[in-house]
Amino acid sequence: MSSFFTVPGAQKKRKRTPAPTDFPKKRVATKSFKAPSKPATPAPRKRVERDESISGSDSESNVGIDEHEAPESASESENEGETAAEKRLRLAERYLDNVRQEVDEAGFDAEEIDRDIIAERLQEDVAEAKGKVYRTIASELAVDEASHTLFRCNTLSTTSVAICAPHIYTVTKDQCLVKWKLQDLPANQYPQTTKKKPKKPPAPPRRRPTKVAMVKGNQKKAKDKDYKGHVADILCVAASQDGKFVVTGGADRRLIVYDAKSLKPLRIFTHHRDAVTGLAFRRGTNQLYSASKDRTVKVWSLDELAYIETLFGHQDQVVDIDALAQERCVSVGARDRTARLWKVVEETQLVFRGGSIDKKQKPDVDPRSLAHEGSMDRVAMIDEELFVTGSDNGSLALWSIQKKKPLFILAQAHGLEEPLLPTEASAEKTPDPKVVPPPQPRWITALRTLPYSDLILSGSWDGYVRVWRLSDDKKKIEPVGVLGNPSSAVDLIPNGVSADDSDDEMDVDGANGTKTAPWLLKGMVNDIALFERGERGKDGLCVVAGVGKDHRLGKWKKIKGGKNGAVVFEVSRMRKSPENGAVDGEVE
């Protein structure tokens, strides 16, 4: 009994006595230690021999290690013995090295050194992970100098717009889904391939998007259950960020998933009991949220082309929905005057009740024009804690998930309509001017934000896409300007009404500033989509507004002289002055 159990164990203990000559593992992980070259070679051999005594299966693979694999195995053996604190320190140093390399490649000046660009980048990454506002770009955009281009393809009113750069997807009331390709920036359209200076002047840049593909439904196929298309008005469209899927929803209660490249229908869902009015993808995923007039919100997974669940709670039609990175979404319920934040994982919802108005008296506005909120029609998320809603009384409301009442209400964001003539308000030959009702505010028909930034865009039928910004204390909405129009030119005409009815589809207002009268967006803005050009928006912002002669959900409001189509706005970054370290006239 002593020979078999005790002797080998004693021998092993005696073999471990020269262990102090080997270096400890923690000291190997430090940077200051440098192992000597001669005694370092026999250590792996002892370990290989010990492994061979246990099992000889790995001996062949361990002996045949190449010279190129030796450093990798050495680094792995070093990392095996490090503690959790040392691992965090090593990963942090690696992250800082990557950030420094990016900064060195991009280059920086004295101003960027003063504000510590590396620390700022770290703060942005932390804020993005937490889902909070971390970018302030509204004041850096040249909103007044934005160029505009109208494009259309002989369809009815455009009801919704979606962007997956460089493609635009528009849907209309005559069951059309159209795929467009945006033009590159003028500087990138005609790259010079030779070093010789060209003799001819460069061609004018192309601005109008090109039509790529089109799919049209058929109303006569309404009774055909096997028909893979829409048989009524298409009311909404959404495109996934990975460029795989395009989804449309219509008044025919159908939700159709298309292949983004070929616009071939992949799956048709008929789970909704009424018209599908809104679609939103969860940011960075293929999880889809749909809103409907049947007062429900449904969740879908397009990776499996499957239905997940239904969310109940609204007391009226759900007309708009929006979502960001977290597994939650915000919807608005029209006449129930509520916005609801759905926490899908927790299976809970937060209710935010509207209906309040700005109680401050305005001397230049008739008190009867300060209408109460009757329908909450639009919603857009700023970050995971803030969102904005637009209503039929023309007000923009800023909400926080921490409070049930709005933080701020901006009344009459798009002004008042023109007052009616006495003959239009009464059937009498000589009507009394007192019968004329007060002018009513214009509805908020389109609303969009740039996620995790302070930029907000809104649209109505006053002819402008207005730009707003979130205040520094995140408690107010402040005006910035109007896309494609100088603020001074807009203020010359009250309530956004202009007598200029000229047809200038391709008229581009750039930096030349030759046109003094404001350019009007003729029609009702039914939807807005946007994306940033370049890395972190260094080349500006591209905004697409869907326009139509009537509202996307009905025909109760007709715009005289309106046009059906969409408009592309190219917004560049502000020009820096020489004192800030940039050359005058250089666009950032």
Side-chain angles (χ1 to χ4, degrees), residues 158-315:
T158 302
T159 56
S160 184
V161 180
I163 290 182
C164 180
H167 294 103
I168 309 173
Y169 301 91
T170 59
V171 292
T172 62
K173 286 192 173 183
D174 52 352
Q175 307 97 42
C176 289
L177 168 62
V178 188
K179 180 180 180 180
W180 309 80
K181 184 177 181 182
L182 284 166
Q183 301 291 348
D184 294 332
L185 293 175
N188 302 329
Q189 288 188 14
Y190 303 106
Q192 188 174 350
T193 58
T194 60
K195 296 182 179 180
K196 296 181 180 180
K197 187 176 181 181
K199 298 180 180 179
K200 297 181 180 180
R206 298 185 299 267
R207 299 184 182 273
R208 184 193 294 269
T210 57
K211 182 179 174 182
V212 178
M214 178 176 174
V215 176
K216 188 172 183 179
N218 191 352
Q219 291 183 349
K220 298 180 181 179
K221 298 287 186 178
K223 297 182 179 180
D224 187 359
K225 295 182 180 180
D226 297 331
Y227 178 65
K228 295 184 178 181
H230 283 285
V231 295
D233 300 356
I234 305 179
L235 302 179
C236 51
V237 63
S240 60
Q241 284 187 328
D242 58 2
K244 291 183 179 180
F245 303 105
V246 176
V247 188
T248 59
D252 53 1
R253 301 179 293 180
R254 295 190 177 192
L255 190 147
I256 304 180
V257 183
Y258 298 89
D259 179 27
K261 293 183 179 180
S262 60
L263 294 187
K264 178 183 178 181
L266 302 176
R267 188 71 181 272
I268 299 177
F269 296 104
T270 58
H271 294 62
H272 281 292
R273 297 184 178 182
D274 207 337
V276 182
T277 56
L279 296 170
F281 274 98
R282 181 185 169 197
R283 191 176 176 87
T285 68
N286 288 328
Q287 184 172 341
L288 179 71
Y289 303 99
S290 63
S292 172
K293 289 185 178 180
D294 61 3
R295 300 180 292 180
T296 64
V297 173
K298 293 187 183 294
V299 187
W300 315 83
S301 176
L302 296 193
D303 289 327
E304 293 82 15
L305 293 177
Y307 158 79
I308 298 179
E309 63 176 321
T310 303
L311 309 176
F312 297 92
H314 277 290
Q315 302 301 313

Side-chain angles (χ1 to χ4, degrees), residues 504-522:
D504 51 354
E505 295 181 12
M506 294 296 294
D507 184 20
V508 179
D509 291 339
N512 50 14
T514 56
K515 190 174 181 180
T516 57
W519 179 83
L520 291 179
L521 197 63
K522 298 173 183 177

Side-chain angles (χ1 to χ4, degrees), residues 418-426 431-433 435-437:
E418 293 182 354
L420 297 175
L421 298 175
T423 55
E424 296 175 344
S426 175
D432 189 0
V435 302
V436 178

Side-chain angles (χ1 to χ4, degrees), residues 346-361:
E346 294 89 344
E347 296 184 355
T348 58
Q349 56 178 294
L350 299 178
V351 183
F352 306 90
R353 301 193 180 276
S356 57
I357 61 173
D358 190 6
K359 298 181 180 180
K360 296 181 180 179
Q361 295 293 334

Side-chain angles (χ1 to χ4, degrees), residues 149-166:
T149 304
L150 175 68
F151 63 97
R152 54 185 179 178
C153 62
N154 296 326
T155 59
L156 297 182
S157 297
T158 302
T159 56
S160 184
V161 180
I163 290 182
C164 180

